[in-house]
Amino acid sequence: VENCTVVDNVVPDVHIGGGIMRRNAGTVVVNTIVWNNREESGTANNIQNSGVIDYANVTYAAAPELIHDPDGTGNLSDIPEPGFVDRPAGDYRLTGNSPFINAGTTGGLTWMIPGALDLAGNPRLIGALPEMGAYEYVPPRGTLIMFR
C-alpha cells in the first residue's frame, strides 16, 4: 500500500478493518494516510491486524494506531487535524498547513522517478520529499519553494 489516502470509511464488522486489514507482518504500508475509518458502532478502526501486532513494515504512514509503534520509521500518530482541503465533501488534497507535506519517503519506491504523477495528475515530487497520501501539495502560483 504505497502513497494512498484511506479516509472516512465505515464498515459493519470489527474483524475486517475499516481502513487497512493486515493479515500478516509482511504487509507493507508506506507514505499512506489511514484516518477516521471506523465501524458502524463508531469504534475507530484504521489499521486492523489479524493475528499480527507487528508494525515493522508500516513506515512513513499516519494512523492513530501507530502510537503503539513508537520506533516506526517516519510514522505519525498524534495528529488532531490532517489538513485536507474539504474532507466533508471528499476532497482529500492537502492544504498548506498539513503535517503530511514532505513527510514521506522515496526510499525503495522505484516508481517515484521524474515524471511520476499523483492521483490528481500533478508531479509526485514538488518539494524535497513526497507527501504522505495520494496527493502532492501544489502551492498557489507565485509561492516561493525553498529546498534545504
Side-chain angles (χ1 to χ4, degrees), residues 37-128:
N37 299 288
R38 60 182 176 82
E39 301 164 20
E40 281 183 338
S41 66
T43 302
N45 195 350
N46 292 289
I47 298 179
Q48 178 73 29
N49 290 305
S50 177
V52 178
I53 306 297
D54 179 13
Y55 289 101
N57 288 325
V58 179
T59 60
Y60 297 93
E65 289 84 354
L66 297 175
I67 196 153
H68 302 297
D69 182 33
D71 298 324
T73 305
N75 291 333
L76 303 174
S77 62
D78 188 20
I79 298 171
E81 179 51 49
F84 295 125
V85 169
D86 190 352
R87 191 171 125 207
D91 187 346
Y92 300 112
R93 292 175 299 139
L94 303 176
T95 60
N97 63 348
S98 173
F100 305 134
I101 295 174
N102 288 322
T105 183
T106 58
L109 303 176
T110 57
W111 65 269
M112 203 174 290
I113 57 174
L117 303 175
D118 72 0
L119 189 60
N122 296 310
R124 184 70 256 197
L125 286 171
I126 293 177

